[in-house]
Amino acid sequence: MIVRTLKDCENSERRVVSETGTWESTRMLLKDDKMGFSFHITTIYANTETHIWYQNHLESVYCMSGEGEIETLSDGKVYPIEPGTLYILDKNDEHLLRGKTEMKMACVFNPPLSGKEVHDENGVYPLDDTA
């Protein structure tokens, strides 16, 4: 059994802050835990916009608090995000994530992240293909 607290993870190397200053993510479950997915609590800062395009990962995101929106770049559709909203990037959707207020999000990635990933210039996390 694996048991971790958010507080303990926030005070460890599992907390990653973006260089762009738009988000931070506490990676509570990672590839090394061998569960087949990773689980993160991510904070999207207020009044920010982040370009994201997970070409190598599928992601589910549940908004626990705050308000914002997500815009899919393929069709320009904008979807509001508020507590209780779940969005699923099931087609590697390129998108803009906007925080109107600070948002706390619970995120699940498949394949799992190994822990230190940050978005590259295209909004992509690299694929970690190590066994």
Side-chain angles (χ1 to χ4, degrees):
M1 177 178 286
I2 301 168
V3 177
R4 296 189 176 111
T5 68
L6 179 58
K7 183 177 180 179
D8 286 345
C9 291
E10 287 173 335
N11 293 314
S12 75
E13 70 283 350
R14 290 177 174 271
R15 180 175 172 257
V16 176
V17 178
S18 74
E19 293 178 4
T20 60
T22 61
W23 60 269
E24 66 180 68
S25 181
T26 302
R27 282 90 189 262
M28 296 187 72
L29 187 71
L30 292 167
K31 183 178 182 176
D32 288 349
D33 294 312
K34 301 186 183 340
M35 292 295 297
F37 61 91
S38 58
F39 179 81
H40 315 219
I41 300 296
T42 298
T43 302
I44 305 300
Y45 300 140
N47 304 309
T48 62
E49 178 179 270
T50 305
H51 172 246
I52 304 172
W53 189 10
Y54 296 128
Q55 297 173 13
N56 303 311
H57 299 85
L58 300 176
E59 183 189 26
S60 299
V61 181
Y62 179 78
C63 179
M64 298 181 299
S65 66
E67 293 183 0
E69 64 186 23
I70 184 169
E71 178 180 352
T72 49
L73 295 183
S74 64
D75 58 13
K77 289 185 180 177
V78 177
Y79 303 89
I81 299 172
E82 60 185 25
T85 301
L86 173 72
Y87 66 86
I88 299 102
L89 301 166
D90 62 333
K91 295 180 178 46
N92 305 98
D93 310 90
E94 184 176 11
H95 60 283
L96 296 172
L97 181 59
R98 299 182 185 107
K100 292 181 181 178
T101 65
E102 182 178 281
M103 294 190 294
K104 289 282 188 186
M105 317 287 264
C107 309
V108 176
F109 281 88
N110 184 9
L113 300 186
S114 33
K116 292 297 182 186
E117 291 88 349
V118 293
H119 303 118
D120 70 12
E121 65 279 0
N122 297 311
V124 177
Y125 280 159
L127 183 60
D128 178 2
D129 57 3
T130 59

